[in-house]
Amino acid sequence: AQQLSHEEIRNHPEFDLLVSRLQNDPAARQQVLQQFLNNSVGSLGRTLSQVLGMSGIGTEFPALKSAAVQLLREGSPEQRLNALLLLGSNVGDDPAARATVLEMLNKDAPTDPQLALSALASLNKQGVTSLADQQAVLDTVQPYTKSPDAQVRHTSLQMLSMWSESDPLALQTFTEATNDADSNIRSFAVSALGQGKYAYEQVRDTLLTVLQNPNEESDVKVAALQVMQDFPLDEQALQIYQAQVA
């Protein structure tokens, strides 16, 4: 593995075999865990962290979880990425890991899009019951919706949609994102306005603006039409809607 690239390792038949073995073979599990602790960098480190994350067993071991959190705090950028791969989408289940990821997002990730993407994607709402913890995530994610990197903006909007309720700031963010330079982001922002968190009066003008924009992409308009299907349209909005679907 040390002589292969990560892509070559990931596409090798034995990669999937290893993922399967980890779920059923305690001896293989212990060996891979030890290998990761000894090799947390390079192609092998990345592969081992991904294997452990995909198998779903990595976070069941306190020692390994502790090592991953330590790498998030003190490791190199590469080690931090590998630790995030290891933790997968389970950060929300562990207060210490979640706090470390939020700290990293607040301090280090703004200048590293790849690190920001992995950290944002690791924030799973499952297991988070405290309103204070939820607000801490929202406060951390919010600035990334203005990132220069389009993929980071898109991912942060996805996280904001997952974590927010009928939050006024989130509504404002999604509304502003309907004017993003990236059409995929505009389409997602429009769809986010129709997830049942906001009243018709709060999103009406934004949706009509999208539909009446002659320069807007068709997929963004389709997203707006789909959202409007779930609202009791007033007469003017109904006329605009029908003109678009005719």
Side-chain angles (χ1 to χ4, degrees):
Q2 295 285 29
Q3 300 175 4
L4 301 175
S5 70
H6 175 71
E7 288 70 24
E8 289 173 324
I9 297 171
R10 179 62 187 86
N11 293 326
H12 199 285
E14 291 191 9
F15 181 92
D16 293 330
L17 176 62
L18 181 57
V19 172
S20 176
R21 284 284 298 275
L22 286 179
Q23 297 173 351
N24 304 300
D25 187 336
R29 195 176 299 178
Q30 291 296 332
Q31 185 175 2
V32 171
L33 294 180
Q34 190 58 49
Q35 284 280 0
F36 175 78
L37 294 175
N38 294 335
N39 300 278
S40 59
V41 296
S43 294
L44 180 58
R46 184 178 177 189
T47 300
L48 293 175
S49 58
Q50 190 172 38
V51 165
L52 291 166
M54 290 177 62
S55 66
I57 58 91
T59 53
E60 294 178 7
F61 292 83
L64 189 65
K65 185 185 294 186
S66 176
V69 171
Q70 184 174 353
L71 287 177
L72 288 177
R73 288 175 177 162
E74 305 171 3
S76 66
E78 182 181 8
Q79 288 175 317
R80 290 179 175 185
L81 283 171
N82 288 342
L84 288 167
L85 284 173
L86 168 65
L87 293 171
S89 61
N90 298 304
V91 171
D93 298 333
D94 187 278
R98 184 174 64 254
T100 303
V101 169
L102 294 181
E103 180 182 358
M104 184 173 62
L105 281 167
N106 282 316
K107 293 183 178 180
D108 304 317
T111 58
D112 188 334
Q114 187 178 8
L115 187 62
L117 286 170
S118 296
L120 288 167
S122 72
L123 295 172
N124 191 324
K125 191 175 181 180
Q126 183 178 359
V128 179
T129 58
S130 166
L131 292 178
D133 288 344
Q134 183 171 334
Q135 191 60 50
V137 172
L138 289 171
D139 292 343
T140 301
V141 170
Q142 186 73 38
Y144 283 91
T145 64
K146 307 294 185 183
S147 169
D149 187 279
Q151 193 172 357
V152 172
R153 294 199 306 276
H154 199 169
T155 301
S156 61
L157 286 169
Q158 290 174 323
M159 295 301 102
L160 190 64
S161 176
M162 179 188 303
W163 283 82
S164 66
E165 301 300 334
S166 55
D167 181 67
L169 182 56
L171 171 61
Q172 178 183 344
T173 301
F174 292 130
T175 301
E176 292 175 353
T178 62
N179 296 309
D180 195 276
D182 189 294
S183 63
N184 290 326
I185 294 177
R186 296 198 303 274
S187 181
F188 178 83
V190 167
S191 298
L193 293 174
Q195 292 183 339
K197 299 177 182 180
Y198 308 112
Y200 172 60
E201 292 75 15
Q202 294 176 298
V203 302
R204 173 190 183 277
D205 291 346
T206 301
L207 296 174
L208 295 184
T209 298
V210 169
L211 290 179
Q212 293 179 295
N213 182 357
N215 299 317
E216 186 53 273
E217 301 284 344
S218 60
D219 59 332
V220 182
K221 290 190 174 185
V222 168
L225 290 171
Q226 291 174 338
V227 169
M228 292 181 72
Q229 292 176 357
D230 297 326
F231 287 119
L233 304 181
D234 57 85
E235 184 175 351
Q236 180 189 20
L238 182 59
Q239 290 177 352
I240 296 172
Y241 174 87
Q242 291 175 336
Q244 290 290 328
V245 298

